[in-house]
mmCIF file of all heavy atoms in Angstrom:
data_model
loop_
_atom_site.group_PDB
_atom_site.id
_atom_site.type_symbol
_atom_site.label_atom_id
_atom_site.label_comp_id
_atom_site.label_asym_id
_atom_site.label_seq_id
_atom_site.Cartn_x
_atom_site.Cartn_y
_atom_site.Cartn_z
ATOM 1 N N ASN A 1 64.874 57.573 101.296
ATOM 2 C CA ASN A 1 64.132 58.397 100.349
ATOM 3 C C ASN A 1 62.623 58.326 100.581
ATOM 4 O O ASN A 1 61.949 59.355 100.262
ATOM 5 C CB ASN A 1 64.501 57.992 98.935
ATOM 6 C CG ASN A 1 65.800 58.556 98.392
ATOM 7 O OD1 ASN A 1 65.810 59.621 97.791
ATOM 8 N ND2 ASN A 1 66.894 57.893 98.658
ATOM 9 N N ILE A 2 62.162 57.198 101.043
ATOM 10 C CA ILE A 2 60.751 57.037 101.309
ATOM 11 C C ILE A 2 60.298 57.761 102.563
ATOM 12 O O ILE A 2 59.276 58.440 102.597
ATOM 13 C CB ILE A 2 60.345 55.584 101.297
ATOM 14 C CG1 ILE A 2 60.581 54.953 99.895
ATOM 15 C CG2 ILE A 2 58.880 55.355 101.720
ATOM 16 C CD1 ILE A 2 60.301 53.447 99.912
ATOM 17 N N THR A 3 61.050 57.539 103.648
ATOM 18 C CA THR A 3 60.655 57.992 104.941
ATOM 19 C C THR A 3 61.267 59.345 105.351
ATOM 20 O O THR A 3 60.798 59.976 106.274
ATOM 21 C CB THR A 3 61.028 56.994 106.051
ATOM 22 O OG1 THR A 3 62.468 56.794 106.051
ATOM 23 C CG2 THR A 3 60.373 55.619 105.708
ATOM 24 N N ASP A 4 62.396 59.685 104.753
ATOM 25 C CA ASP A 4 63.178 60.825 105.122
ATOM 26 C C ASP A 4 63.696 60.706 106.587
ATOM 27 O O ASP A 4 63.929 61.711 107.273
ATOM 28 C CB ASP A 4 62.325 62.141 105.026
ATOM 29 C CG ASP A 4 63.207 63.376 104.855
ATOM 30 O OD1 ASP A 4 64.421 63.220 104.485
ATOM 31 O OD2 ASP A 4 62.700 64.551 105.093
ATOM 32 N N ASP A 5 63.846 59.434 106.997
ATOM 33 C CA ASP A 5 64.347 59.185 108.344
ATOM 34 C C ASP A 5 65.843 59.198 108.392
ATOM 35 O O ASP A 5 66.546 58.420 107.703
ATOM 36 C CB ASP A 5 63.872 57.766 108.786
ATOM 37 C CG ASP A 5 64.147 57.436 110.258
ATOM 38 O OD1 ASP A 5 65.144 58.008 110.749
ATOM 39 O OD2 ASP A 5 63.363 56.663 110.826
ATOM 40 N N LYS A 6 66.477 60.150 109.118
ATOM 41 C CA LYS A 6 67.929 60.346 109.094
ATOM 42 C C LYS A 6 68.643 59.134 109.639
ATOM 43 O O LYS A 6 69.856 59.027 109.309
ATOM 44 C CB LYS A 6 68.272 61.599 109.977
ATOM 45 C CG LYS A 6 67.589 62.876 109.437
ATOM 46 C CD LYS A 6 68.083 63.247 108.051
ATOM 47 C CE LYS A 6 67.608 64.634 107.664
ATOM 48 N NZ LYS A 6 66.185 64.728 107.540
ATOM 49 N N ASN A 7 68.002 58.281 110.377
ATOM 50 C CA ASN A 7 68.709 57.058 110.818
ATOM 51 C C ASN A 7 69.113 56.186 109.693
ATOM 52 O O ASN A 7 70.181 55.501 109.773
ATOM 53 C CB ASN A 7 67.739 56.328 111.783
ATOM 54 C CG ASN A 7 67.588 56.963 113.105
ATOM 55 O OD1 ASN A 7 68.587 57.133 113.860
ATOM 56 N ND2 ASN A 7 66.419 57.447 113.427
ATOM 57 N N PHE A 8 68.371 56.192 108.665
ATOM 58 C CA PHE A 8 68.752 55.376 107.463
ATOM 59 C C PHE A 8 69.903 56.007 106.761
ATOM 60 O O PHE A 8 70.719 55.364 106.236
ATOM 61 C CB PHE A 8 67.538 55.216 106.516
ATOM 62 C CG PHE A 8 66.491 54.254 106.960
ATOM 63 C CD1 PHE A 8 65.206 54.697 107.357
ATOM 64 C CD2 PHE A 8 66.815 52.882 107.193
ATOM 65 C CE1 PHE A 8 64.279 53.817 107.815
ATOM 66 C CE2 PHE A 8 65.873 52.004 107.633
ATOM 67 C CZ PHE A 8 64.551 52.488 107.959
ATOM 68 N N LYS A 9 69.950 57.341 106.793
ATOM 69 C CA LYS A 9 71.072 58.078 106.179
ATOM 70 C C LYS A 9 72.381 57.714 106.876
ATOM 71 O O LYS A 9 73.388 57.484 106.217
ATOM 72 C CB LYS A 9 70.872 59.616 106.225
ATOM 73 C CG LYS A 9 71.818 60.426 105.477
ATOM 74 C CD LYS A 9 71.598 60.315 103.978
ATOM 75 C CE LYS A 9 72.413 61.307 103.188
ATOM 76 N NZ LYS A 9 72.203 61.166 101.712
ATOM 77 N N LYS A 10 72.312 57.593 108.197
ATOM 78 C CA LYS A 10 73.462 57.203 108.977
ATOM 79 C C LYS A 10 73.912 55.745 108.660
ATOM 80 O O LYS A 10 75.045 55.334 108.835
ATOM 81 C CB LYS A 10 73.214 57.372 110.451
ATOM 82 C CG LYS A 10 72.950 58.766 110.913
ATOM 83 C CD LYS A 10 72.535 58.811 112.382
ATOM 84 C CE LYS A 10 72.192 60.194 112.873
ATOM 85 N NZ LYS A 10 71.815 60.205 114.290
ATOM 86 N N ASN A 11 72.904 54.965 108.252
ATOM 87 C CA ASN A 11 73.137 53.563 108.068
ATOM 88 C C ASN A 11 73.743 53.218 106.743
ATOM 89 O O ASN A 11 74.097 52.069 106.434
ATOM 90 C CB ASN A 11 71.770 52.765 108.161
ATOM 91 C CG ASN A 11 71.980 51.346 108.519
ATOM 92 O OD1 ASN A 11 72.846 50.933 109.202
ATOM 93 N ND2 ASN A 11 71.174 50.482 107.913
ATOM 94 N N ILE A 12 73.886 54.241 105.852
ATOM 95 C CA ILE A 12 74.470 54.060 104.550
ATOM 96 C C ILE A 12 75.998 54.057 104.639
ATOM 97 O O ILE A 12 76.658 55.073 104.429
ATOM 98 C CB ILE A 12 74.015 55.112 103.534
ATOM 99 C CG1 ILE A 12 72.445 55.111 103.484
ATOM 100 C CG2 ILE A 12 74.535 54.799 102.122
ATOM 101 C CD1 ILE A 12 71.868 56.221 102.675
ATOM 102 N N ILE A 13 76.563 52.992 105.117
ATOM 103 C CA ILE A 13 77.974 52.784 105.296
ATOM 104 C C ILE A 13 78.529 51.694 104.468
ATOM 105 O O ILE A 13 77.962 50.529 104.524
ATOM 106 C CB ILE A 13 78.308 52.552 106.823
ATOM 107 C CG1 ILE A 13 77.718 53.697 107.690
ATOM 108 C CG2 ILE A 13 79.799 52.395 107.056
ATOM 109 C CD1 ILE A 13 77.836 53.407 109.196
ATOM 110 N N PHE A 14 79.561 51.924 103.739
ATOM 111 C CA PHE A 14 80.145 50.886 102.982
ATOM 112 C C PHE A 14 81.391 50.287 103.626
ATOM 113 O O PHE A 14 82.360 50.997 103.866
ATOM 114 C CB PHE A 14 80.557 51.418 101.557
ATOM 115 C CG PHE A 14 79.361 51.812 100.715
ATOM 116 C CD1 PHE A 14 78.763 53.078 100.891
ATOM 117 C CD2 PHE A 14 78.854 50.965 99.816
ATOM 118 C CE1 PHE A 14 77.697 53.373 100.141
ATOM 119 C CE2 PHE A 14 77.721 51.308 99.044
ATOM 120 C CZ PHE A 14 77.169 52.550 99.209
ATOM 121 N N ARG A 15 81.239 49.054 104.077
ATOM 122 C CA ARG A 15 82.372 48.454 104.796
ATOM 123 C C ARG A 15 83.169 47.583 103.891
ATOM 124 O O ARG A 15 82.685 47.072 102.887
ATOM 125 C CB ARG A 15 81.767 47.620 105.969
ATOM 126 C CG ARG A 15 80.933 48.424 106.969
ATOM 127 C CD ARG A 15 80.399 47.513 108.047
ATOM 128 N NE ARG A 15 79.657 48.219 109.040
ATOM 129 C CZ ARG A 15 78.347 48.514 108.938
ATOM 130 N NH1 ARG A 15 77.665 48.212 107.898
ATOM 131 N NH2 ARG A 15 77.768 49.220 109.950
ATOM 132 N N ASP A 16 84.416 47.342 104.291
ATOM 133 C CA ASP A 16 85.227 46.372 103.556
ATOM 134 C C ASP A 16 84.688 44.959 103.734
ATOM 135 O O ASP A 16 84.253 44.564 104.781
ATOM 136 C CB ASP A 16 86.649 46.424 104.097
ATOM 137 C CG ASP A 16 87.379 47.699 103.867
ATOM 138 O OD1 ASP A 16 87.006 48.373 102.871
ATOM 139 O OD2 ASP A 16 88.324 48.060 104.592
ATOM 140 N N LEU A 17 84.597 44.275 102.617
ATOM 141 C CA LEU A 17 84.057 42.955 102.630
ATOM 142 C C LEU A 17 85.047 41.946 103.066
ATOM 143 O O LEU A 17 86.272 42.136 102.988
ATOM 144 C CB LEU A 17 83.575 42.574 101.212
ATOM 145 C CG LEU A 17 82.455 43.353 100.637
ATOM 146 C CD1 LEU A 17 82.181 42.957 99.169
ATOM 147 C CD2 LEU A 17 81.178 43.263 101.424
ATOM 148 N N PRO A 18 84.607 40.832 103.658
ATOM 149 C CA PRO A 18 85.492 39.751 104.045
ATOM 150 C C PRO A 18 86.384 39.353 102.858
ATOM 151 O O PRO A 18 85.882 39.233 101.738
ATOM 152 C CB PRO A 18 84.579 38.604 104.487
ATOM 153 C CG PRO A 18 83.250 39.290 104.791
ATOM 154 C CD PRO A 18 83.196 40.446 103.911
ATOM 155 N N CYS A 19 87.625 39.126 103.078
ATOM 156 C CA CYS A 19 88.503 38.749 101.991
ATOM 157 C C CYS A 19 88.473 37.228 101.869
ATOM 158 O O CYS A 19 89.221 36.475 102.492
ATOM 159 C CB CYS A 19 89.989 39.198 102.295
ATOM 160 S SG CYS A 19 91.075 38.836 100.962
ATOM 161 N N GLU A 20 87.619 36.785 100.944
ATOM 162 C CA GLU A 20 87.497 35.305 100.690
ATOM 163 C C GLU A 20 88.241 34.977 99.376
ATOM 164 O O GLU A 20 88.506 35.853 98.550
ATOM 165 C CB GLU A 20 85.969 34.948 100.489
ATOM 166 C CG GLU A 20 85.198 35.169 101.766
ATOM 167 C CD GLU A 20 85.465 34.066 102.750
ATOM 168 O OE1 GLU A 20 85.928 32.984 102.404
ATOM 169 O OE2 GLU A 20 85.168 34.353 103.960
ATOM 170 N N ASN A 21 88.643 33.769 99.282
ATOM 171 C CA ASN A 21 89.334 33.248 98.076
ATOM 172 C C ASN A 21 88.311 33.018 97.000
ATOM 173 O O ASN A 21 87.599 32.005 97.059
ATOM 174 C CB ASN A 21 90.085 32.005 98.423
ATOM 175 C CG ASN A 21 91.016 31.558 97.277
ATOM 176 O OD1 ASN A 21 90.658 31.821 96.143
ATOM 177 N ND2 ASN A 21 92.155 31.008 97.623
ATOM 178 N N VAL A 22 88.220 33.937 96.060
ATOM 179 C CA VAL A 22 87.235 33.789 94.976
ATOM 180 C C VAL A 22 87.431 32.509 94.136
ATOM 181 O O VAL A 22 86.518 31.864 93.740
ATOM 182 C CB VAL A 22 87.267 35.084 94.049
ATOM 183 C CG1 VAL A 22 86.217 34.878 92.862
ATOM 184 C CG2 VAL A 22 86.887 36.284 94.818
ATOM 185 N N GLU A 23 88.708 32.231 93.918
ATOM 186 C CA GLU A 23 89.087 30.984 93.166
ATOM 187 C C GLU A 23 88.542 29.787 93.867
ATOM 188 O O GLU A 23 87.970 28.822 93.283
ATOM 189 C CB GLU A 23 90.562 30.892 92.946
ATOM 190 C CG GLU A 23 90.954 29.669 92.079
ATOM 191 C CD GLU A 23 92.490 29.607 91.868
ATOM 192 O OE1 GLU A 23 93.144 30.554 92.243
ATOM 193 O OE2 GLU A 23 92.918 28.565 91.382
ATOM 194 N N GLN A 24 88.655 29.778 95.208
ATOM 195 C CA GLN A 24 88.137 28.664 95.985
ATOM 196 C C GLN A 24 86.588 28.607 95.925
ATOM 197 O O GLN A 24 85.974 27.488 95.907
ATOM 198 C CB GLN A 24 88.586 28.768 97.440
ATOM 199 C CG GLN A 24 88.202 27.596 98.326
ATOM 200 C CD GLN A 24 88.792 26.349 97.854
ATOM 201 O OE1 GLN A 24 90.003 26.253 97.516
ATOM 202 N NE2 GLN A 24 87.981 25.243 97.825
ATOM 203 N N LEU A 25 85.957 29.781 95.946
ATOM 204 C CA LEU A 25 84.492 29.823 95.787
ATOM 205 C C LEU A 25 84.049 29.202 94.473
ATOM 206 O O LEU A 25 83.064 28.435 94.413
ATOM 207 C CB LEU A 25 83.982 31.319 95.861
ATOM 208 C CG LEU A 25 83.991 31.945 97.244
ATOM 209 C CD1 LEU A 25 83.599 33.417 97.077
ATOM 210 C CD2 LEU A 25 83.047 31.234 98.149
ATOM 211 N N GLU A 26 84.804 29.465 93.384
ATOM 212 C CA GLU A 26 84.442 28.931 92.081
ATOM 213 C C GLU A 26 84.669 27.417 92.059
ATOM 214 O O GLU A 26 83.925 26.682 91.456
ATOM 215 C CB GLU A 26 85.243 29.626 91.029
ATOM 216 C CG GLU A 26 84.861 31.128 90.794
ATOM 217 C CD GLU A 26 85.767 31.791 89.781
ATOM 218 O OE1 GLU A 26 86.806 31.190 89.368
ATOM 219 O OE2 GLU A 26 85.392 32.907 89.387
ATOM 220 N N LYS A 27 85.757 26.983 92.744
ATOM 221 C CA LYS A 27 85.995 25.550 92.872
ATOM 222 C C LYS A 27 84.892 24.858 93.621
ATOM 223 O O LYS A 27 84.464 23.766 93.250
ATOM 224 C CB LYS A 27 87.351 25.327 93.532
ATOM 225 C CG LYS A 27 88.571 25.657 92.654
ATOM 226 C CD LYS A 27 89.825 25.326 93.371
ATOM 227 C CE LYS A 27 91.030 25.663 92.519
ATOM 228 N NZ LYS A 27 92.299 25.405 93.214
ATOM 229 N N ASP A 28 84.482 25.502 94.747
ATOM 230 C CA ASP A 28 83.423 24.948 95.524
ATOM 231 C C ASP A 28 82.073 24.864 94.763
ATOM 232 O O ASP A 28 81.355 23.891 94.864
ATOM 233 C CB ASP A 28 83.155 25.765 96.821
ATOM 234 C CG ASP A 28 84.357 25.669 97.810
ATOM 235 O OD1 ASP A 28 85.112 24.715 97.689
ATOM 236 O OD2 ASP A 28 84.409 26.519 98.697
ATOM 237 N N SER A 29 81.873 25.908 93.982
ATOM 238 C CA SER A 29 80.659 25.928 93.107
ATOM 239 C C SER A 29 80.695 24.786 92.089
ATOM 240 O O SER A 29 79.674 24.091 91.864
ATOM 241 C CB SER A 29 80.486 27.277 92.406
ATOM 242 O OG SER A 29 79.409 27.246 91.557
ATOM 243 N N LEU A 30 81.870 24.570 91.424
ATOM 244 C CA LEU A 30 82.033 23.506 90.502
ATOM 245 C C LEU A 30 81.846 22.123 91.161
ATOM 246 O O LEU A 30 81.232 21.232 90.605
ATOM 247 C CB LEU A 30 83.391 23.626 89.859
ATOM 248 C CG LEU A 30 83.714 22.555 88.794
ATOM 249 C CD1 LEU A 30 82.716 22.537 87.663
ATOM 250 C CD2 LEU A 30 85.147 22.682 88.266
ATOM 251 N N LYS A 31 82.451 21.967 92.344
ATOM 252 C CA LYS A 31 82.368 20.766 93.061
ATOM 253 C C LYS A 31 80.864 20.427 93.421
ATOM 254 O O LYS A 31 80.429 19.271 93.270
ATOM 255 C CB LYS A 31 83.175 20.896 94.397
ATOM 256 C CG LYS A 31 83.081 19.663 95.274
ATOM 257 C CD LYS A 31 83.927 19.880 96.576
ATOM 258 C CE LYS A 31 83.744 18.684 97.525
ATOM 259 N NZ LYS A 31 84.550 18.910 98.788
ATOM 260 N N GLU A 32 80.146 21.526 93.842
ATOM 261 C CA GLU A 32 78.737 21.263 94.234
ATOM 262 C C GLU A 32 77.942 20.896 92.970
ATOM 263 O O GLU A 32 77.029 20.040 93.031
ATOM 264 C CB GLU A 32 78.193 22.621 94.784
ATOM 265 C CG GLU A 32 76.771 22.475 95.287
ATOM 266 C CD GLU A 32 76.248 23.743 96.003
ATOM 267 O OE1 GLU A 32 77.142 24.617 96.314
ATOM 268 O OE2 GLU A 32 75.127 23.872 96.206
#
């Protein structure tokens, strides 16, 4: 929007996120 550079428009790609165990993340957070 600032530069009107089409390369940034091409870069707007939503990829699938890594499938991490959220419950494990919360356990790790509690452990920490």
Side-chain angles (χ1 to χ4, degrees):
N1 278 269
I2 293 175
T3 63
D4 204 17
D5 189 330
K6 299 298 188 295
N7 287 296
F8 286 115
K9 191 70 172 179
K10 297 176 184 177
N11 201 36
I12 304 172
I13 302 173
F14 293 84
R15 301 178 176 87
D16 292 335
L17 295 177
C19 184
E20 295 286 337
N21 189 327
V22 177
E23 183 179 349
Q24 185 60 44
L25 285 174
E26 292 177 347
K27 287 181 180 179
D28 290 344
S29 179
L30 179 60
K31 178 181 176 182
E32 187 175 344

